Amino acid sequence: NQDILFGLPRRWRNFREQYPKGAKFITYSSWLFAAGLVALLSLFVFVWMGAFGRLPSTTDLKDIQNHAAAEVYAVDGALLGKYFIENRTNVDYEEISPDIINGLIATEDARFFEHRGIDLRAWARVFFRTVIMRDESGGGGSTLSQQLAKNLFPRQRFWLFTIPVNKFKEMVVARRLEKIYTKDELVNIYLNTVPFGANIYGVEVAAKQFFSTTANDVKTEEAAVLVGMLKANTYYNPVRNPKNATGRRNVVLNQMARYGYIESAVADSLKELPLETKYAREGNQEGLATYFREHLRQELAESIQSFTKPDGSPFNLYTDGLRIHTTIHSRLQQYAEHAVNQQM
């Protein structure tokens, strides 16, 4: 060991004499690498200090509030419609199918329960497989916590520094999120936050619109479709692009089998199933009692001003997840609308 250690200067001197151009190239490359590393570390410090905008504090992160749609119910319990800016229905962790959770972990962040927001092993994989070897199947380096940070706090533009600054911001926020929330809580917030395109937010609304079910009752193959959509909402949309969605679904099923969430034989049989959706669009002009709901919306906009939240602030009809119960009976309303359509 001592011979190797103390013999290095001599070996390097011999190498320089024998291969001057190679030695010069190595020297310049080393200095360039060191300068780049120092620049990145300096940039990270500037981001952490808030030079590129204020980072959310612990207090901010403890008070994460997703916009949730107000839901209008008939007297018999049927959902008539919603009022929303972002069509989202928040659900608890226990109300989400384990297949969705397992598919998410297996596909997006297999080491989720092992890291604390930043996965250095994943970054090394990205560097060697994706950057050096040009292998796009190597996956990305962002953890679920970093993806959640990106969803909660959309990226900004900083000219040439846009990508590194935003990545560093997400890393800092991810670390803070991991200190505040448990892993299950982070998964729950993530699955209630993620967009699925076409003003569909969170797995509950996605399950309802694409498969006419709930996030708790989706089948394994349906859960794989929803998880697959997270990579590209439009490209893997099962209604618009069923072929792409089927291929991505099978990738998710393979990942679930790879990490032991389902048996390989089960994954193989599910991959043979045709992709079936039961698309049910939601909107102000969709569903039952649309005229009634519009009249109700105008009344509610005034009446809810009389009520306040525990913190004293007024309720918002479009963001606070209110549940509105009416005297309309959904079945009778359906008969009435059918009769009107027949006669007029």
Side-chain angles (χ1 to χ4, degrees), residues 297-323:
R297 184 188 67 81
Q298 296 177 31
E299 284 195 0
L300 286 168
E302 298 179 6
S303 62
I304 64 172
Q305 299 302 316
S306 304
F307 302 91
T308 57
K309 303 177 190 177
D311 62 1
S313 61
F315 281 103
N316 187 309
L317 179 61
Y318 306 99
T319 63
D320 287 336
L322 300 176
R323 292 196 170 198

Side-chain angles (χ1 to χ4, degrees), residues 158-171:
F158 300 99
W159 298 95
L160 296 176
F161 301 103
T162 294
I163 293 178
V165 167
N166 282 307
K167 283 290 186 182
F168 285 149
K169 279 189 169 186
E170 290 158 13
M171 291 168 69

Side-chain angles (χ1 to χ4, degrees), residues 117-158:
I118 302 171
D119 191 354
L120 297 179
R121 186 187 299 181
W123 280 107
R125 184 192 67 239
V126 169
F127 179 76
F128 287 105
R129 289 187 60 179
T130 307
V131 178
I132 303 298
M133 300 174 64
R134 304 293 182 182
D135 180 5
E136 296 184 1
S137 66
S142 293
T143 63
L144 279 182
S145 302
Q146 288 174 252
Q147 294 179 36
L148 176 58
K150 182 175 67 174
N151 291 335
L152 291 172
F153 307 98
R155 290 179 170 181
Q156 299 172 292
R157 295 193 62 83
F158 300 99

Side-chain angles (χ1 to χ4, degrees), residues 94-129:
E94 295 75 17
E95 299 175 283
I96 301 174
S97 167
D99 286 328
I100 294 179
I101 297 171
N102 294 338
L104 176 70
I105 301 299
T107 307
E108 296 294 329
D109 190 356
R111 287 170 37 80
F112 176 68
F113 293 103
E114 300 174 32
H115 62 68
R116 299 299 299 170
I118 302 171
D119 191 354
L120 297 179
R121 186 187 299 181
W123 280 107
R125 184 192 67 239
V126 169
F127 179 76
F128 287 105
R129 289 187 60 179

